[in-house]
């Protein structure tokens, strides 16, 4: 059946397009993108007046937890959370159990996603065997199995020689290496950003240098090897300076920032709400402003949620003992709209490019554009829709969000994957 999206503001940064148009979908492809398309007899018509029509949003950094941690999230629940949040595709990290460091685990994830998922799922393979940072994984086997990148996210690769070899081998398969930039010795089991708030709250701090030291090291290794480096969850002004300098030297590097590092500060930790405990930690306002400015300037390429669900009982403990991570798939878009787009810190074009064309290019996956003949992955956003966040309504099994009870504006209202409407008005269509 055909779908006609009528009268929306179509924003497709890959084609430098921002105008009122109709989008016709036939089968799994975009059939036409024109003004005043006449609806085919069998078409489902979706009125989009006053709404943003964008290529399907891609989140290149999520934790789906399956296999091994199904009490936190499953591929079924995580992809439904993605659809509810307006995402048509997600790339899932390798810190599962067993670790996604073999072709068999990658095959399991892909098959599970085919059977139970509602959006596209792209597995990311482990950089090192067992995420131990001692020996690189079988990168050739992982590439053949269909991974889109390599990462030990959640575990810093402390051994520089291992990181060098990973960049060199990954280059042979044109795979990006996604770096979790953290010096574990400097982080020293800290709980939040080392600074004034940590002193006031009496919580052990993690210095900004713990991130920046590893950013500097990995940028040097990328320059040395010519490998494709992608910096995960950039969060400090110092990391931004290093990134800009490396870009000026034509180092092959891309970077992402999370909505929470773009919009939230370490002052939220005053509540001792364990959902504010993330790694890297929430930073002071000056760092947040620097990261947001780097995104607007194009020095940071993508917005990625780092969706990290935990079971309620895991987070319902003292701050010291809670695991790091917050959920983000279902609130990423309205948080960015409310805190960055509406105040004029980021344009719609910049935000959508960071969720579409850029991640598609970095991961070399389908989508990222509404060009006729391309895959019919589409996200529709209502910039005026305001709702209160209620974690109890999440499709994700994780409720660990500090945004509960907060009113946000600019929610996705439709998600189309491969020509199939999978979310309408915030509800996933089974």
């Amino acid at each position: 059946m055909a779908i006609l999206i009528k009268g929306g503001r179509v924003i497709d940064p890959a084609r430098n397009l921002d105008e009122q148009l109709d989008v016709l979908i036939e089968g799994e492809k975009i059939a036409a993108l024109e003004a005043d398309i006449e609806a085919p007899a069998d078409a489902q018509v979706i009125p989009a007046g006053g709404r943003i029509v964008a290529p399907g949003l891609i989140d290149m950094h999520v934790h789906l937890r399956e296999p091994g941690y199904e009490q936190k999230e499953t591929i079924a629940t995580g992809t439904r959370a993605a659809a509810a949040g307006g995402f048509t595709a997600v790339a899932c990290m390798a810190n599962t159990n067993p670790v996604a460091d073999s072709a068999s685990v990658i095959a399991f994830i892909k098959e599970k996603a085919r059977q139970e998922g509602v959006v596209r799922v792209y597995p990311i393979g482990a950089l090192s065997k067992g995420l131990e940072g001692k020996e690189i994984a079988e990168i050739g086997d992982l590439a053949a199995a269909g991974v889109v990148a390599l990462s030990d996210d959640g575990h810093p690769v402390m051994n520089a020689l291992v990181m060098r070899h990973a960049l060199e081998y990954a280059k042979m398969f044109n795979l990006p290496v996604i770096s979790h930039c953290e010096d574990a010795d400097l982080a020293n089991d800290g709980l939040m950003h080392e600074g004034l708030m940590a002193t006031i709250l009496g919580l052990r701090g993690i210095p900004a240098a713990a991130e920046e030291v590893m950013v500097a090291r990995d940028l040097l290794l990328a320059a040395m090897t010519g490998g494709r480096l992608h910096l995960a969850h950039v969060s400090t002004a110092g990391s931004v300076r290093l990134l800009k300098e490396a870009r000026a030297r034509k180092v092959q590097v891309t970077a992402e920032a999370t909505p929470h590092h773009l919009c939230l500060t370490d002052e939220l930790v005053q509540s001792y709400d364990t959902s504010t405990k993330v790694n890297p930690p929430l930073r002071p306002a000056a760092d947040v402003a620097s990261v947001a400015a780097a995104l607007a300037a194009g020095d940071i390429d993508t917005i990625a949620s780092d969706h990290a669900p935990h079971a309620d009982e895991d987070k319902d403990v003292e701050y010291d003992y809670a695991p790091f991570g917050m959920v983000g798939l279902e609130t990423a878009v309205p948080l960015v709209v409310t805190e960055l787009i509406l105040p004029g810190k980021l344009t719609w074009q910049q935000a959508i490019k960071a969720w579409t064309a850029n991640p598609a290019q970095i991961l070399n996956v389908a989508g990222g554009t509404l060009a006729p003949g391309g895959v019919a992955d589409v996200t529709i956003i209502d910039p005026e829709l305001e709702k209160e966040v209620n974690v109890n309504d999440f499709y994700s099994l994780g409720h660990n969000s500090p945004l509960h009870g907060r009113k946000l504006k600019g929610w996705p209202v439709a998600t189309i994957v491969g020509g199939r409407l999978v979310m309408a008005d915030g509800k996933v269509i089974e």
Side-chain angles (χ1 to χ4, degrees):
M1 186 176 75
I3 296 176
L4 178 62
I5 304 169
K6 197 76 178 162
R9 178 185 171 188
V10 175
I11 300 178
D12 185 354
R15 304 174 69 213
N16 198 28
L17 185 66
D18 183 354
E19 58 185 284
Q20 186 171 319
L21 294 169
D22 297 345
V23 181
L24 178 63
I25 296 168
E26 292 180 343
E28 298 182 3
K29 302 291 185 181
I30 303 289
L33 194 65
E34 302 168 8
D36 300 320
I37 298 174
E38 187 173 341
D42 65 341
Q44 176 183 1
V45 178
I46 300 176
R51 295 175 171 182
I52 305 291
V53 179
L57 307 187
I58 301 168
D59 191 334
M60 64 176 290
H61 187 153
V62 306
H63 299 270
L64 294 181
R65 304 300 194 196
E66 189 175 13
Y69 303 107
E70 288 83 357
Q71 77 278 14
K72 298 175 183 285
E73 191 78 285
T74 65
I75 290 170
T77 60
T79 57
R80 280 159 179 78
F87 292 93
T88 59
V90 296
C92 57
M93 287 296 176
N95 55 342
T96 51
N97 185 19
V99 171
D101 61 359
S102 67
S104 60
V105 177
I106 300 302
F108 169 85
I109 293 169
K110 292 174 74 173
E111 179 60 19
K112 196 79 169 178
R114 188 188 68 80
Q115 292 178 0
E116 300 180 8
V118 296
V119 305
R120 302 180 194 275
V121 174
Y122 300 115
I124 293 171
L127 183 157
S128 69
K129 293 180 179 179
L131 302 179
E132 294 178 352
K134 298 177 181 177
E135 182 181 358
I136 62 170
E138 298 292 343
I139 292 174
D141 289 349
L142 291 171
V147 303
V148 294
L150 301 166
S151 182
D152 277 7
D153 184 67
H155 301 266
V157 179
M158 292 294 291
N159 188 314
L161 185 60
V162 171
M163 179 58 83
R164 172 190 176 174
H165 287 162
L167 285 162
E168 288 172 335
Y169 276 81
K171 181 182 176 183
M172 296 167 61
F173 302 96
N174 193 31
L175 289 172
V177 173
I178 302 175
S179 175
H180 174 101
C181 291
E182 178 189 17
D183 185 306
D185 296 321
L186 274 175
N188 193 28
D189 297 322
L191 305 171
M192 66 172 294
H193 174 77
E194 181 179 291
L196 177 62
M197 286 309 305
T199 302
I200 292 171
L201 299 176
L203 293 175
R204 194 162 56 252
I206 301 172
E211 175 179 314
E212 294 157 6
V213 163
M214 292 298 261
V215 168
R217 184 202 73 174
D218 289 349
L219 288 170
L220 289 169
L221 291 175
M224 172 187 181
T225 62
R228 293 179 57 202
L229 176 67
H230 180 82
L231 302 177
H233 40 58
V234 170
S235 72
T236 77
S239 294
V240 168
R241 286 193 298 272
L242 290 163
L243 177 60
K244 287 184 175 182
E245 189 270 339
R247 283 187 178 279
R249 292 190 293 113
K250 308 300 183 186
V251 175
Q252 201 166 195
V253 58
T254 54
E256 71 189 39
T258 71
H260 50 275
H261 290 118
L262 287 162
C263 303
L264 308 179
T265 74
D266 61 347
E267 291 192 4
L268 277 181
V269 183
Q270 293 179 84
S271 65
Y272 291 99
D273 177 355
T274 57
S275 65
T276 65
K277 185 179 178 184
V278 288
N279 188 14
L282 298 178
R283 304 291 188 183
D287 289 294
V288 173
S290 179
V291 173
L295 176 65
D299 292 309
I300 290 175
D301 304 85
T302 74
I303 305 170
S305 71
D306 195 4
H307 175 77
H310 290 287
D312 292 347
E313 59 268 25
D314 294 337
K315 281 287 198 176
D316 191 17
V317 294
E318 293 90 340
Y319 208 90
D320 291 49
Y321 302 113
F324 290 102
M326 72 170 69
V327 290
L329 279 170
E330 292 170 77
T331 56
V333 173
L335 181 59
V336 168
V337 172
T338 302
E339 295 295 328
L340 296 179
I341 295 176
L342 293 180
K345 299 175 183 177
L346 196 68
T347 66
W348 277 105
Q349 291 84 352
Q350 289 165 338
I352 289 171
K353 186 176 183 181
W355 269 317
T356 59
N358 285 352
Q361 183 179 32
I362 292 166
L363 298 177
N364 192 27
V365 298
T369 179
L370 293 174
V375 294
D377 290 0
V378 184
T379 301
I380 304 176
I381 302 165
D382 186 342
E384 297 301 321
L385 179 60
E386 186 174 63
K387 291 196 298 185
E388 186 176 290
V389 177
N390 186 342
V391 299
N392 299 308
D393 293 337
F394 283 176
Y395 283 91
S396 173
L397 295 181
H399 298 150
N400 47 305
S401 170
L403 302 176
H404 179 68
R406 183 168 171 180
K407 284 188 176 179
L408 298 176
K409 203 170 185 180
W411 292 78
V413 292
T415 307
I416 298 169
V417 182
R420 186 168 70 91
L421 185 66
V422 298
M423 184 275 281
D425 298 321
K427 302 297 181 185
V428 175
I429 300 167
E430 298 294 344

